[in-house]
Amino acid sequence: MSGGEWWRHAVVYQVYPRSFADSDGDGMGDIPGLITRLDYLADLGVDAIWISPFYTSPLNDGGYDVEDYRSIDPRLGTLDDVDTLISQAHERSIRILMDIVPNHTSSEHRWFKEALATEPGSPAWDRYVVREGRGEDRETPPNNWRSVFHGSGWSAIRHADGSPTGYWYLHLFDPTQPDVNWDNTDVHQEFIDTLRFWFDRGIDGFRIDVAHGLVKEEGLPDYDYVKKSESGSILEDSAHAPFWDQDGVHDIYREWRKVADEYDPPRVFCGETWVPNAERLARYQRPDELHTSFNFAYLEAGWDAARMRTSIDETIANHARVDAPPTWVLSNHDVVRHRTRMAPIDEDGVRDLERGLLRARAATLFTLALPGSMYLYQGEELGLFEVVDLAPEVRQDPAWLRSGGTDGTRDGCRVPIPWSGSSPSFGFSSGAASWLPQPAGWAQLSVAAERKVEDSTLELYRLGLRIRRAEASLGEGPLEWLCDDGTVLAFRRSAPDGSSVICALNLGTGIARLPVEWGTDFLVASGQDVAAMSTDEGDRIAIGAETAVWLKG
Ligand code: TEU
């Protein structure tokens, strides 16, 4: 594999392992299934894969509730399978990022079980965030923090006979995901040992779950939830909350970076950082901390020229200050798929998924031309839409379960992906049913239905990735804006060898005629409505509504 700082310009493909490929017919994807599909990923042209957790887990939160950080959930495979995965991926020049969950363990973790067998105040309980309750009988939680998945962020610790101890443990997520105490030295050591365990097996790095959440403000003060942004944006919320983005969290990543740097080649980190702005984000990527971090502000910018432009500028400027590459992401396993998110809604409240696809393809091509690295989420290369009509009885998102079905959109992007055939499970599983049911309409969106089909979304991704690799100006490097008129966003990327690529995105609903100076040397477009035209001033490219194009500059 070619070395260097590959993460500065990588295209990383996120695998949600339970929903990728099932080898044993139980309806749940697994590691051997993923191994059989590595050729597909190599053919797609990705540089690395990030795999959501596959550790032993009760699966109350899709594996983000880890029972044992050094064993594989038997439903997903074995340690031998992971060793095979690493070597087979590396043979294909695909790097592997695993997912580490350091904010909380599962309540099935040996630590939590040890704690439950003792009384609060014990060394075992000190590995978790435990406080005395409020009120005379200490029957009120220690503060007003809520769980991200609804309800109180605290659960009572009980004696063996079920009576309350007056102490409570914190869980920013599900009650079965107790937050660990990062003031405890066992916690530091355990995670360092875990990093080494996997680095020694040859993985290339980790995505860090809730990387902004590990440290809580001293004294655990109440949070003024009224301050919370009315926009509903998680990012805005994180500007104030005493449990997100605390300065102390950076010490942990300095400690981890030293471990990653001991290896040859050095291992890398990507933080899952829901922080309020690009300045706060860049702090995570100071030279002795994480290599990269997710840039969710861009994801939240949606299909909006002004917001996209602002987010891009702020991201690039702030990352430059810490000499770190930006990352870009449009979809993942926690958000509504971008085809659906970007689809316009008509007067009857119905989303136009055809235009959603047009926009999603354009947004992807545009984003792939930005400087830095890009994260793709499995199935977006097929143009999958969000499955919005899952029956309540099949849903598993803890946010859905804890909110009484009023929140919890996350199952809809986790439906297993279609590989081939005309009926579910579309080649996903050798058994008939997948753990979340797939819509019948996915027959047209399967890998087999799109592979080698001109203009399919899969072929667009393949072509985009191939050109991105071949063009010296794409990936890391400078960006120069050429146009921002509210409808068309366009920039030029230039390489030291003098070559350049122009990327133009037409967010409007009419045709955009690009300036003559940009030429007609067409590389790829996200839609079919692209034509060279002769005008009095010279030849130029015209692109249809909601379409992006790359031109050789
Ligand atoms: O996500 C963190 C998460 O839930 C954020 O969306 C959260 O709202 C944010 O931290 C608030 O600022 C990760 C995983 O991606 C997700 O699947 C897990 O459920 C979660 O952590 C808990 O491990």
Side-chain angles (χ1 to χ4, degrees):
M1 270 189 298
S2 62
E5 297 193 319
W6 60 275
W7 44 273
R8 289 188 166 267
H9 48 76
V11 175
V12 184
Y13 182 98
Q14 180 190 355
V15 172
Y16 194 72
R18 293 193 299 158
S19 304
F20 192 65
D22 172 26
S23 72
D24 60 8
D26 66 355
M28 188 185 284
D30 46 41
I31 307 286
L34 167 55
I35 294 171
T36 66
R37 300 296 184 180
L38 285 172
D39 283 333
Y40 167 74
L41 297 172
D43 179 64
L44 179 60
V46 301
D47 301 298
I49 54 178
W50 145 39
I51 312 164
S52 284
F54 46 66
Y55 312 101
T56 307
S57 163
L59 297 183
N60 288 335
D61 183 23
Y64 284 93
D65 45 330
V66 181
E67 180 175 331
D68 178 355
Y69 292 83
R70 296 179 217 166
S71 76
I72 311 302
D73 193 287
R75 288 161 287 189
L76 274 72
T78 63
L79 215 42
D80 281 348
D81 293 334
V82 175
D83 289 339
T84 307
L85 171 70
I86 297 168
S87 63
Q88 299 246 338
H90 285 173
E91 264 171 38
R92 291 164 177 79
S93 297
I94 297 175
R95 289 182 166 84
I96 303 266
L97 302 180
M98 280 175 55
D99 203 321
I100 193 154
V101 187
N103 181 69
H104 43 264
T105 68
S106 160
S107 52
E108 294 297 313
H109 191 278
R110 66 176 198 287
W111 277 359
F112 200 74
K113 289 183 178 161
E114 263 174 62
L116 285 177
T118 66
E119 290 290 307
S122 68
W125 271 117
D126 190 57
R127 296 178 184 134
Y128 292 95
V129 181
V130 174
R131 293 291 184 278
E132 251 185 304
R134 288 190 285 200
E136 211 170 302
D137 296 327
R138 301 177 300 173
E139 277 178 358
T140 309
N143 68 24
N144 73 344
W145 296 2
R146 297 179 193 155
S147 155
V148 171
F149 297 155
H150 300 274
S152 172
W154 296 90
S155 288
I157 301 174
R158 298 180 182 282
H159 294 295
D161 66 4
S163 60
T165 61
Y167 286 83
W168 301 68
Y169 71 88
L170 176 69
H171 49 85
L172 290 179
F173 295 90
D174 195 67
T176 63
Q177 293 169 298
D179 281 50
V180 295
N181 171 19
W182 275 93
D183 290 330
N184 179 294
T185 50
D186 286 358
V187 170
H188 284 255
Q189 195 55 49
E190 173 68 12
F191 278 95
I192 284 183
D193 292 348
T194 299
L195 295 177
R196 287 215 172 91
F197 177 85
W198 292 108
F199 289 160
D200 288 343
R201 296 193 100 85
I203 66 152
D204 301 279
F206 278 106
R207 174 260 191 193
I208 305 168
D209 189 60
V210 207
H212 59 303
L214 279 46
V215 171
K216 280 74 183 177
E217 191 178 323
E218 191 65 41
L220 311 191
D222 275 352
Y223 176 34
D224 178 2
Y225 281 93
V226 186
K227 252 197 213 163
K228 185 172 165 166
S229 152
E230 286 181 358
S231 70
S233 158
I234 300 166
L235 299 174
E236 291 294 317
D237 182 21
S238 62
H240 314 289
F243 36 81
W244 302 135
D245 195 29
Q246 301 295 306
D247 288 343
V249 82
H250 297 281
D251 295 336
I252 298 168
Y253 301 130
R254 292 197 184 97
E255 190 179 18
W256 286 20
R257 179 64 179 258
K258 288 194 191 113
V259 177
D261 284 346
E262 284 168 17
Y263 286 81
D264 182 23
R267 308 307 200 236
V268 305
F269 295 114
C270 178
E272 188 213 14
T273 39
W274 292 89
V275 296
N277 56 52
E279 191 270 323
R280 295 298 301 186
L281 180 64
R283 284 167 188 254
Y284 288 80
Q285 293 151 82
R286 289 175 285 202
D288 57 347
E289 297 190 41
L290 307 180
H291 303 74
T292 56
S293 265
F294 288 119
N295 171 16
F296 291 119
Y298 181 73
L299 183 154
E300 287 206 337
W303 182 258
D304 177 316
R307 289 185 65 194
M308 288 165 86
R309 166 79 202 249
T310 306
S311 167
I312 293 166
D313 285 346
E314 288 179 359
T315 301
I316 292 176
N318 281 290
H319 282 68
R321 267 185 227 145
V322 290
D323 187 30
T327 67
W328 312 97
V329 56
L330 293 168
S331 281
N332 66 30
H333 68 295
D334 288 332
V335 300
V336 172
R337 284 187 176 277
H338 70 281
R339 172 175 179 182
T340 300
R341 228 176 47 234
M342 290 180 171
I345 301 174
D346 68 19
E347 311 90 63
D348 302 325
V350 178
R351 284 190 189 273
D352 181 342
L353 287 179
E354 285 320 306
R355 274 179 70 197
L357 181 59
L358 203 61
R359 289 180 174 187
R361 289 167 55 119
T364 299
L365 195 64
F366 178 78
T367 308
L368 276 172
L370 291 171
S373 78
M374 168 101 181
Y375 280 76
L376 307 176
Y377 176 53
Q378 66 178 39
E380 66 168 83
E381 78 279 18
L382 304 172
L384 297 188
F385 50 83
E386 183 81 5
V387 183
V388 292
D389 53 0
L390 288 168
E393 58 274 16
V394 301
R395 287 178 183 265
Q396 302 201 3
D397 182 353
W400 167 274
L401 304 173
R402 281 173 62 84
S403 67
T406 58
D407 182 24
T409 48
R410 300 186 308 168
D411 289 314
C413 62
R414 297 176 181 178
V415 174
I417 66 171
W419 291 93
S420 58
S422 53
S423 60
S425 67
F426 301 116
F428 163 72
S429 169
S430 49
S434 52
W435 68 280
L436 283 174
Q438 301 152 306
W442 278 11
Q444 287 88 49
L445 297 174
S446 75
V447 172
E450 295 196 28
R451 184 70 180 99
K452 299 205 168 112
V453 173
E454 208 185 334
D455 300 323
S456 70
T457 304
L458 179 56
E459 291 302 325
L460 171 67
Y461 272 68
R462 285 185 67 240
L463 185 56
L465 294 189
R466 200 164 74 225
I467 299 172
R468 184 181 148 109
R469 220 172 245 205
E471 288 295 328
S473 62
L474 297 179
E476 229 201 342
L479 173 151
E480 173 203 352
W481 285 106
L482 300 178
C483 176
D484 172 11
D485 62 7
T487 304
V488 173
L489 281 179
F491 55 79
R492 185 197 303 274
R493 305 289 319 280
S494 303
D497 67 6
S499 67
S500 72
V501 168
I502 292 173
C503 174
L505 169 66
N506 177 11
L507 291 107
T509 48
I511 287 177
R513 289 150 46 112
L514 304 184
V516 171
E517 316 80 87
W518 297 0
T520 56
D521 199 350
F522 166 82
L523 286 168
V524 54
S526 64
Q528 282 148 277
D529 197 3
V530 175
M533 59 194 292
S534 295
T535 60
D536 291 347
E537 303 91 53
D539 294 345
R540 61 170 87 220
I541 291 275
I543 55 176
E546 306 185 325
T547 300
V549 66
W550 292 356
L551 305 172
K552 193 95 178 127

